[in-house]
Amino acid sequence: MRNFKFNSLSAIIRSKKARRGMTIVICVFASLVLLITTAGAAGTAAKAVNVIMDGIKYPLTKGHPYSENGTTMIPFRMISGKLGTQANWNAANKTLTLQQKENKIVLTVGSSFAKVNGQPVALGAMVVQKDGMTMIPLTVVSDLLSAEVEVEVDEFSQSVHIHTPGKDLGELDYFGRKIRTTNLPKNYKDYPYILEDIPNEMYEMRHTINYSAGNAETGAQVFSKKELTSEDMAKIIKRMKIGFDLRLNVDYKTINPASYAKESFKYENQSSSIREKEIEEYAEWVKKNKIQIEGAIDPESSVLYYPGTGDYRVRSMFRFRINSFTEYKDLFNDVYFKLAEFRLHEKLKKGVWYEGYADLSISTNYYNPIVGEHFNIDALSSLFENTTLHEVK
């Protein structure tokens, strides 16, 4: 049943005056979502976190911010040369020195303490190097650079926001991200607005619109109906992230097939209870085939369209790595898994990161749904159907 609604674009976009006072925003809801110990998943494994710096969201790629054991870690490169700081890296000692006005902050890889003007200060987590990137606890920004920033709670955006004081961010969307009006993609009219931190490649990616369906709609057409609130879209994306966190983080050593299936099915279209049994069978296969996968998705709320097939598609960035399996068969809880080999012209490899964009399907089994509550991941939603899947070199 098609009853998907958006509010007016003017209500979605915040003026620069409304956002001028934006500071660091640590979203409590996001932390709760990302720290859920999902049934059968990696448990305390790192979970991807969205961090927006001056209206620009860090992409879901190498060095992406993450939360682990209750601590948010961000790549140092996000703040390098920003927030009134100067930095120096000593490769031999693996120390990072930040100078902010009269304050000198020294961080050491492998240490959970910083030296601030020579005095030790606890960070709550160690500075680490991951995938060749230096990752620092968010407390470095929120506490040690406190003369430059403030902390407040934003229960909506499900993101961490860092704002350079006094910097005019211009026009932002509802989620605090910069809107651009230049260097637009060729098909910019298909969207309600274009974001600064999304490359044209994502916007210009082919849609899975069934043009023979008379009611297929672009994102701009869907938005123009002014019938769905941004709060609804945020709730849907929250559920998508949890659902795909379960799909993309499986470990044969810890997975409990029954509980995994029950938890995963909660975030899918509830039209068929048989689906829960199918998920349980997949989880049994994970154990038997010794499958270990880690990954995440990042859906874009403004890049949504109706393909005319009864569901909606939300374009999403994804990233995953397969760490273990015995037989190359049904590695993912994804009905289009076999298309991965077709897209890449080779089989997926162990120990290699893959990234791309995919149009993920959401749908509902309710006749008159409460949009923000009843739209969930469709059972056929796939990373491998309409995708730009590629190996990270």
Side-chain angles (χ1 to χ4, degrees), residues 91-104:
N93 298 328
K94 292 189 176 181
T95 58
L96 184 62
T97 302
L98 304 178
Q99 189 73 42
Q100 184 195 52
K101 296 183 178 178
E102 70 280 1
N103 292 324
K104 182 180 179 181

Side-chain angles (χ1 to χ4, degrees), residues 243-260:
F244 269 91
D245 186 61
L246 283 157
R247 287 194 183 193
L248 292 177
N249 293 276
V250 295
D251 187 341
Y252 73 93
K253 295 179 180 179
T254 59
I255 197 165
N256 181 304
S259 59
Y260 175 82

Side-chain angles (χ1 to χ4, degrees), residues 114-121:
K115 285 189 176 180
V116 181
N117 299 324
Q119 299 299 312
V121 176

